[in-house]
């Protein structure tokens, strides 16, 4: 913003917007900085009074930070929340990922790392308010923006609209989700002070009836706390819903943004729902960086104008498993495993220099007493271990579920697996017999990255950038191993984000036919004790695609560490059945975070699925290496 906000107040004084952005002294800010333990009257929740928020009739300033419970190991939720409080924040914001909570149609999960109620309860215990972003679309750089992939089984699906197939699924989801959180609303003595509807709908808006439908869906199910929308400055009016408080993201903030805010909700407080230091990183590109001095300049100006603020992310955490999505900027950009995001805590929950700077600033302007600050957790360097056993992917196929036979290619979403809900993540293998040679052309139908083999001989890759391969002989099994690298998290094309082979692949001028299709979703139960007892000793250095097994023996108190996959090429790492995420030697990320609670005293099984060349040695370090 570079002093833009301060100048803006002067520019807007003649239009009546000055009152909307009036600043206050530090004493006034301190009086508005209330925690749950300080409010006894719970009859009136978060409201707008002139240019201020009130909560329980008291002036109130929201100072929030985003923590995604699903990106932080459950054992460390309390640590992250206490560090949020100690920094000077009074509120935690979190998003609720539909695709993780309903991975199969009608099957809901709220346990372990997905125990939303436990996270909300813990926030209340440590004296923090909660802003809950219910979606159903949340963005958050997740696969399909947090929408379940089984929605795309409907070939006519129109996501984020009032299309009957979408609203029926949303209603079923809300019928299960909303009753779980009703008793945690402010009016019920709970910590939830606001609920965000959808996310940045103004940038997507294709159905003017959709946001009013979401509002009604929440209110009729008992949501009584303040409802909010959240849009970038340029899309504010397109995402606005009557009688719903409009908040803004930092992006595209201009004079017109504040004029629009005033036109729809008068001299109201300003809530900057997403103030972000940087952004996510993508494979094959340099790491994003931040400018702390510019960051603090913006925040100081927002405090002078008495803006409420949400810092995205306070603790980014990790895209464990395959949860990360992708972006598009003329080219396909799959996100790395770390969701460090330039947050005030590192991926593993350690303090950053930015955290200490913000803590000092918040204490100076809020006049709130400092709180006990947890120590950083120790990190250890375990002794390197060798992957002494392996199984090639081809050897394991006979032990898997029977393949699906199909004349034409079938996308992941259309497979008859997971009780008819299709395949969401991981890999999928297509096999067919060819009887002639020639040019293999994907015609853009490989989503996202397909390794091509003749029998077990690697030929090349088909992906977004490479759509042709040559040199095939007669009467061989042609195999295409396709990886879903993450569905787009946002944009108008998410309705088309099906994965695997989404259409015909041609050999010469003829489309390939008669496929055997193997689902390789690689869920935890498949990796942990699910692999057959046909491990072979690695007497030489085998090439992938293959599974590699290493055993790590630990003492009685395992602690956090990082796995360095130097010398390996591309794949996925599992520890005791937990999917740590992807690695890839094109960078920028070089290490994978391994939380101590996912380790156990005694033997720990590390299984690596390596697509190409292995190093056999698995190394550990006590610091993350996320690139430059």
């Amino acid at each position: 913003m570079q002093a833009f906000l301060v100048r803006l107040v002067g520019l807007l004084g003649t239009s009546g917007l000055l009152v909307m952005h009036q600043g206050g002294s530090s004493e006034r800010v301190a009086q508005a900085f209330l925690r749950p333990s300080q409010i006894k009257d719970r009859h009136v929740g978060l409201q707008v009074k002139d240019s201020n928020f009130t909560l329980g009739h008291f002036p109130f300033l929201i100072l929030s930070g985003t923590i995604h419970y699903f990106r932080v190991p459950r054992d460390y939720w309390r640590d992250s929340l206490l560090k949020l409080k100690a920094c000077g924040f009074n509120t935690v914001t979190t998003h609720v990922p539909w695709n993780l909570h309903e991975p199969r149609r009608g099957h809901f999960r709220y346990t372990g790392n997905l125990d939303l109620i436990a996270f909300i309860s813990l926030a209340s215990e440590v004296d923090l308010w909660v802003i809950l972003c219910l979606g159903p679309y949340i963005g958050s750089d997740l696969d399909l923006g947090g929408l379940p992939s089984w929605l795309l089984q409907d070939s006519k699906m129109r996501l984020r609209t009032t299309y009957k197939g979408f609203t029926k699924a949303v209603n079923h989801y809300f019928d299960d989700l909303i009753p779980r959180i009703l008793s945690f609303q402010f009016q019920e003595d709970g910590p939830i002070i606001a609920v965000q509807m959808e996310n940045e709908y103004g940038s997507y808006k294709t159905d003017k009836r959709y946001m009013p439908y979401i509002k009604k869906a929440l209110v009729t199910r008992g949501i009584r706390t303040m409802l909010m929308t959240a849009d970038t400055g340029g899309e504010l009016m397109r995402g606005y819903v009557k009688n719903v408080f409009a908040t803004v993201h930092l992006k595209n903030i201009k004079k017109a943004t504040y004029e629009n805010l005033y036109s729809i909700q008068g001299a109201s407080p300003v809530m900057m729902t997403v103030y972000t230091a940087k952004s996510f990183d993508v494979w094959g590109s340099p790491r994003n960086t931040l400018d702390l001095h510019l960051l603090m300049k913006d925040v100081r100006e927002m405090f002078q104008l008495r803006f409420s603020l949400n810092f995205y992310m306070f603790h980014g955490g990790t895209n464990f498993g395959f949860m990360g999505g992708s972006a598009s900027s003329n080219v396909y950009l799959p996100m790395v495993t770390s969701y460090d995001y330039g947050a005030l805590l590192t991926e593993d929950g350690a303090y950053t220099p930015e955290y200490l700077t913000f803590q000092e600033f918040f204490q100076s302007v809020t006049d709130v007493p400092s709180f006990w600050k947890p120590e950083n957790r120790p990190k250890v360097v375990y002794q390197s271990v060798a992957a002494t056993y392996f199984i090639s992917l081809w050897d394991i196929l006979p032990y898997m579920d029977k393949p699906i036979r199909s004349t034409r290619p079938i996308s992941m979403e259309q497979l008859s697996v997971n009780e008819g809900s299709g395949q969401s993540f991981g890999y999928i293998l297509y096999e067919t017999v060819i009887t002639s040679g020639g040019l293999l052309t994907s015609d853009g139908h490989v989503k996202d990255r397909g390794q091509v083999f003749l029998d077990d001989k690697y030929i090349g890759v088909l992906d977004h950038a490479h759509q042709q391969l040559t040199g095939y002989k007669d009467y061989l099994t042609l195999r295409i191993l396709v990886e879903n690298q993450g569905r787009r998290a946002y944009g108008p094309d998410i309705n088309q984000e099906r994965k695997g082979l989404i259409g015909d692949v041609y050999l010469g001028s003829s489309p390939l036919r008669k496929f055997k299709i193997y689902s390789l979703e690689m869920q935890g139960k498949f990796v942990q004790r699910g692999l057959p007892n046909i491990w072979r000793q690695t007497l030489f250095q085998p090439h992938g695609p293959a599974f590699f097994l290493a055993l790590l023996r630990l003492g009685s108190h395992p602690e956090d560490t990082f796995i360095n996959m130097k010398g390996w090429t591309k794949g996925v790492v599992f520890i005791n059945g937990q999917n740590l995420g992807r690695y890839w030697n094109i960078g920028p990320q070089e290490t994978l975070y391994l939380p101590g609670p996912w380790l156990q005293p005694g033997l720990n099984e590390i299984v690596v699925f390596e697509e190409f060349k292995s190093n056999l040695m698995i190394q550990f370090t006590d610091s993350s290496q996320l690139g430059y």
Side-chain angles (χ1 to χ4, degrees), residues 548-566:
F548 294 82
L549 172 65
L551 299 176
L552 174 65
R553 186 179 295 276
L554 299 178
S556 57
H557 299 289
E559 294 179 315
D560 288 6
T561 188
F562 297 88
I563 293 182
N564 189 325
M565 297 303 291
K566 183 177 181 180

Side-chain angles (χ1 to χ4, degrees), residues 421-588:
S421 293
Q423 179 178 340
S424 296
F425 306 116
Y427 299 78
I428 182 171
L429 177 66
Y430 298 84
E431 285 189 355
T432 186
V433 174
I434 60 174
T435 58
S436 63
L439 185 69
L440 187 69
T441 306
S442 68
D443 204 23
H445 291 152
V446 175
K447 304 291 183 183
D448 295 300
R449 192 170 186 275
Q451 297 178 61
V452 180
F453 301 85
L454 288 179
D455 291 337
D456 58 358
K457 181 182 178 183
Y458 171 74
I459 300 298
V461 168
L462 296 172
D463 57 18
H464 293 268
H466 307 92
Q467 300 190 22
Q468 289 185 338
L469 290 172
T470 58
Y472 300 99
K473 299 180 180 179
D474 298 344
Y475 302 105
L476 291 171
T477 298
L478 177 68
R479 291 165 161 158
I480 307 178
L481 177 63
V482 185
E483 177 194 8
N484 167 14
Q485 293 186 289
R487 296 177 182 85
R488 283 182 174 86
Y490 51 85
D493 298 328
I494 60 173
N495 290 296
Q496 310 304 319
E497 281 296 280
R498 295 169 181 86
K499 297 300 183 181
L501 295 185
I502 64 169
D504 286 332
V505 174
Y506 294 85
L507 185 59
S509 59
S510 300
L512 296 174
R513 292 290 182 260
K514 296 183 179 180
F515 288 93
K516 287 196 298 184
I517 305 173
Y518 295 87
S519 173
L520 299 170
E521 199 158 18
M522 296 194 188
Q523 298 178 2
K525 63 182 181 181
F526 169 75
V527 176
Q528 189 176 29
R529 308 298 182 189
L531 295 176
N533 190 23
I534 55 171
W535 292 101
R536 292 192 235 163
Q537 284 194 314
T538 49
L539 301 176
F540 57 97
Q541 194 169 41
H543 286 262
F547 295 90
F548 294 82
L549 172 65
L551 299 176
L552 174 65
R553 186 179 295 276
L554 299 178
S556 57
H557 299 289
E559 294 179 315
D560 288 6
T561 188
F562 297 88
I563 293 182
N564 189 325
M565 297 303 291
K566 183 177 181 180
W568 299 73
T569 308
K570 185 180 186 303
V572 189
V573 178
F574 302 83
I575 180 75
N576 297 326
Q578 296 267 20
N579 190 335
L580 298 186
R582 300 178 172 97
Y583 64 90
W584 197 354
N585 65 359
I586 65 172

Side-chain angles (χ1 to χ4, degrees), residues 2-58:
Q2 298 123 9
F4 175 71
L5 295 174
V6 173
R7 295 196 304 271
L8 183 66
V9 175
L11 290 171
L12 299 180
T14 57
S15 67
L17 285 173
L18 180 58
V19 69
M20 183 177 175
H21 305 287
Q22 280 183 336
S25 67
S26 61
E27 289 78 16
R28 197 174 160 207
V29 170
Q31 291 171 6
F33 197 82
L34 300 169
R35 296 191 181 275
S37 59
Q38 297 173 284
I39 295 185
K40 305 305 179 184
D41 182 359
R42 295 300 190 103
H43 291 93
V44 180
L46 189 65
Q47 291 187 325
V48 171
K49 185 177 180 180
D50 299 325
S51 60
N52 294 303
F53 285 120
T54 62
L55 187 63
H57 296 298
F58 292 97

Side-chain angles (χ1 to χ4, degrees), residues 229-247:
T229 58
D231 287 284
T232 61
E235 303 292 348
L236 175 66
M237 298 299 288
R238 287 168 55 85
Y240 163 68
V241 181
K242 187 176 181 180
N243 296 325
V244 173
F245 187 78
T247 72

Side-chain angles (χ1 to χ4, degrees), residues 218-232:
L218 295 174
V219 171
T220 57
R221 287 172 173 82
I223 295 297
R224 299 167 58 198
T225 57
M226 176 181 280
L227 293 178
M228 295 178 168
T229 58
D231 287 284
T232 61

Side-chain angles (χ1 to χ4, degrees), residues 380-396:
V380 297
V381 181
Y382 295 117
Q383 187 173 354
S384 298
V385 293
T388 52
Y389 299 93
F390 83 101
I391 313 172
S392 77
L393 176 61
W394 320 126
D395 289 339
I396 206 174

Side-chain angles (χ1 to χ4, degrees), residues 157-214:
M157 177 55 64
R158 293 171 56 222
L159 301 172
R160 305 176 73 188
T161 71
T162 53
Y163 172 68
K164 186 176 180 180
F166 185 69
T167 58
K168 181 180 179 181
V170 171
N171 288 336
H172 190 209
Y173 170 54
F174 277 177
D175 284 344
D176 184 86
L177 170 64
I178 303 303
R180 298 176 187 269
I181 64 174
L182 291 180
S183 64
F184 291 89
Q185 297 181 94
F186 175 86
Q187 294 85 344
E188 303 294 334
D189 292 330
I192 300 174
I193 58 172
V195 166
Q196 180 184 309
M197 300 165 40
E198 256 276 341
N199 189 54
E200 295 186 342
Y201 193 68
S203 65
Y204 184 84
K205 188 174 183 180
T206 57
D207 186 343
K208 64 182 181 181
R209 300 173 298 167
Y210 175 66
M211 289 295 277
Y213 152 72
I214 295 296

